[in-house]
Amino acid sequence: GFTCYSENLYVDYFFGKDASAEYVIGTRRGISNRKPIIGQYDINREGSSDMYSKGANLLHTIRQLAKNDEIWRNTLRGLNKEFYHSTVTTGEIEEYISKSIGMDLSKVFDQYLRDYRVPVFEFKIKDGELNYRWNNVISGFDMPVEVYVDGFNRFLYPTKEFKKIPVKNPNIVIDDDYYVITKSL
């Protein structure tokens, strides 16, 4: 996943952030989501080949959660510095990334690495209110998502239960940089 994501960083460096986002988002077409990326440990069973493109899209999503490209760049460089020439566990990498961007990503990692489903952001607008929630997610999944609503971007913090906010304009757009499915109810 990291190696596949490095292709995205190459595109970002030479062609810009929009081109790199388009590149990594385009790789989603090849993700099957039939089984988790991480297989069961201590038995001879591999995870999914989705580890490449889905892993890159997970990293791209985490970049959005970091909300700051300098923090994200320092996170990637810090991984190389911290774990240089070391054998590491998935848990060590997950913990490092969470600490580096200042957000507990444990449920995000569990959703994208240990479950095969893609989170579904469900929403409906009724009587001037946006009702929204996560569906198709593990228990406790709590990833924020950036949404264009009422003329500006804002972060929403969905859970499995519906939440609501007042809205003036029914035009709602979820940022494509997040690897989620959007469903209007």
Side-chain angles (χ1 to χ4, degrees):
F2 278 96
T3 302
C4 193
Y5 185 69
S6 71
E7 296 171 3
N8 184 56
L9 295 175
Y10 174 89
V11 174
D12 190 325
Y13 180 81
F14 285 101
F15 303 102
K17 192 171 183 175
D18 290 342
S20 70
E22 186 178 326
Y23 177 84
V24 74
I25 291 166
T27 66
R28 293 176 187 168
R29 290 184 298 259
I31 301 172
S32 68
N33 290 309
R34 288 192 201 120
K35 63 181 183 175
I37 290 176
I38 295 178
Q40 288 181 274
Y41 287 115
D42 300 322
I43 61 171
N44 190 17
R45 186 173 300 156
E46 295 178 352
S48 168
S49 63
D50 285 345
M51 72 179 87
Y52 304 109
S53 294
K54 189 172 185 178
N57 275 279
L58 168 58
L59 291 168
H60 186 66
T61 297
I62 294 171
R63 178 182 185 176
Q64 311 319 305
L65 296 173
K67 302 180 211 169
N68 181 310
D69 281 347
E70 185 174 340
I71 290 172
W72 181 238
R73 188 172 28 261
N74 289 336
T75 300
L76 295 176
R77 289 178 176 157
L79 283 166
N80 285 325
K81 183 177 180 183
E82 179 77 19
F83 300 112
Y84 180 74
H85 281 228
S86 299
T87 301
V88 296
T89 65
T90 303
E92 289 173 311
I93 299 298
E94 291 173 14
E95 184 178 332
Y96 184 91
I97 292 172
S98 288
K99 283 183 180 177
S100 182
I101 72 164
M103 178 184 287
D104 179 5
L105 297 171
S106 57
K107 294 298 184 180
V108 174
F109 286 122
D110 285 345
Q111 179 71 42
Y112 286 95
L113 299 177
R114 295 173 187 89
D115 195 284
Y116 65 92
R117 299 171 296 168
V118 177
V120 177
F121 179 84
E122 293 182 335
F123 72 95
K124 60 185 172 186
I125 297 174
K126 184 176 179 185
D127 300 327
E129 288 185 327
L130 169 64
N131 295 268
Y132 62 93
R133 71 174 179 189
W134 283 125
N135 198 354
N136 209 38
V137 293
I138 63 169
S139 180
F141 183 72
D142 58 354
M143 184 178 81
V145 66
E146 198 168 356
V147 178
Y148 182 80
V149 59
D150 284 342
F152 62 94
N153 287 344
R154 67 182 290 181
F155 275 92
L156 298 180
Y157 297 83
T159 62
K160 288 177 103 172
E161 304 300 321
F162 274 107
K163 291 184 171 184
K164 56 186 169 183
I165 59 170
V167 294
K168 297 174 186 165
N169 185 336
N171 185 23
I172 307 296
V173 179
I174 308 303
D175 188 336
D176 285 338
D177 288 321
Y178 292 80
Y179 183 36
V180 300
I181 296 169
T182 304
K183 181 177 179 185
S184 176
L185 300 176

